[in-house]
Amino acid sequence: MTNFEPCAAEVMRRFARASDGEMIEVGGGVAGFVDSDSPVNAVKGMDGVVGRAELDRIVEFYFDRKKDAVVELAPWVEVACCSDLAALGFERVGVEDLMARRSEDLGEKFDAVMDVEACARVLCLSFFGEINETGMAIGRMAFGGEGMVSVGHWEDGELVAAGQMVYLAGAGLLAGDGTIEAWRGRGLQQKLILARVQRAFDDGVGWVHCEVQQGSASQRNYARCGFSTVYA
């Protein structure tokens, strides 16, 4: 499996629906608007022909909502529309790797977590360093959305690490990985990655994938768990 963009598009559809936000279908993907303060407002999953008309629609969509347009592009889409992107003033601000591997029977055991609030708390503390409204809202969407499978690690009755997976377009997307700072460096993310690989195998899903920042600890942990970069 080499194209995971339909999975990314469906993620944005679900985020927009879960938040009563707004979205438009464009270039085979989705431009989503959750709310004015959300860091997940973005265009995801475009894998078709993306020309000036599609980019103009994206710019207008976010301009009307007083937001800059953030577009996540697969490399073949970026190459095809690079001149139009430049003409509209788009600049590259970051690069993420899409990493994937086949699911496998690893003999792993995992703890399914049904407590959405506890998972949202872990994500909020992991990414924001504190409990705040924005982080908790993102966490609730990430862990309480349609079809989410959540795993976690508990210590003395406290959830200290969590991650989720959702099956989209025939593949499992791993996301929402977070470990509370005091518990980092103990291999918990790798444990939860492998737990989700196992769960996908148990559920008969052949491929799992993730999106990670290049050079990050998460990229290294996914590589240690057998994931390879498909594209960036």
Side-chain angles (χ1 to χ4, degrees):
M1 190 168 184
T2 58
N3 180 8
F4 294 90
E5 295 308 297
C7 304
E10 182 59 21
V11 166
M12 183 50 67
R13 290 188 192 97
R14 294 189 183 193
F15 271 154
R17 289 197 297 262
S19 64
D20 293 324
E22 301 173 86
M23 61 181 168
I24 57 171
E25 301 280 334
V26 57
V30 177
F33 178 81
V34 173
D35 63 53
S36 59
D37 297 321
S38 177
V40 303
N41 297 327
V43 184
K44 290 180 176 286
M46 293 197 298
D47 68 346
V49 177
V50 179
R52 181 61 182 261
E54 287 77 19
L55 294 174
D56 284 341
R57 286 184 64 214
I58 290 167
V59 171
E60 181 179 2
F61 177 78
Y62 288 105
F63 178 82
D64 289 346
R65 289 152 185 83
K66 298 180 173 60
K67 300 297 294 183
D68 292 333
V70 177
V71 183
E72 299 181 11
L73 294 174
W76 61 88
V77 178
E78 182 178 5
V79 168
C81 64
C82 60
S83 59
D84 287 330
L85 289 167
L88 287 167
F90 280 90
E91 298 179 358
R92 178 180 286 186
V93 296
V95 179
E96 288 189 329
D97 282 353
L98 190 144
M99 304 180 73
R101 62 161 289 172
R102 289 189 178 275
S103 64
E104 182 182 354
D105 187 358
L106 303 170
E108 291 288 325
K109 296 181 180 180
F110 56 88
D111 295 324
V113 179
M114 308 302 294
D115 190 335
V116 172
E117 286 297 300
C119 291
R121 177 179 176 274
V122 169
L123 185 145
C124 190
L125 289 172
S126 299
F127 288 91
F128 293 90
E130 62 178 6
I131 298 297
N132 59 47
E133 184 177 346
T134 297
M136 289 299 292
I138 293 171
R140 291 181 187 115
M141 281 193 297
F143 287 93
E146 176 186 349
M148 298 297 181
V149 175
S150 301
V151 296
H153 180 85
W154 300 82
E155 288 286 345
D156 297 326
E158 179 187 12
L159 188 68
V160 299
Q164 54 99 327
M165 176 172 64
V166 62
Y167 300 136
L168 304 166
L173 170 63
L174 281 63
D177 297 30
T179 303
I180 293 175
E181 186 174 4
W183 292 92
R184 292 175 184 166
R186 308 186 190 203
L188 297 182
Q189 184 182 23
Q190 292 180 58
K191 172 186 174 181
L192 298 183
I193 291 169
L194 295 175
R196 286 170 285 174
V197 173
Q198 179 72 55
R199 175 62 184 265
F201 178 85
D202 293 345
D203 290 343
V205 176
W207 283 92
V208 289
H209 70 292
C210 64
E211 296 179 8
V212 293
Q213 185 177 353
Q214 287 187 349
S216 66
S218 287
Q219 183 191 45
R220 293 189 292 272
N221 284 333
Y222 272 95
R224 292 182 185 116
C225 292
F227 285 71
S228 300
T229 298
V230 181
Y231 50 83

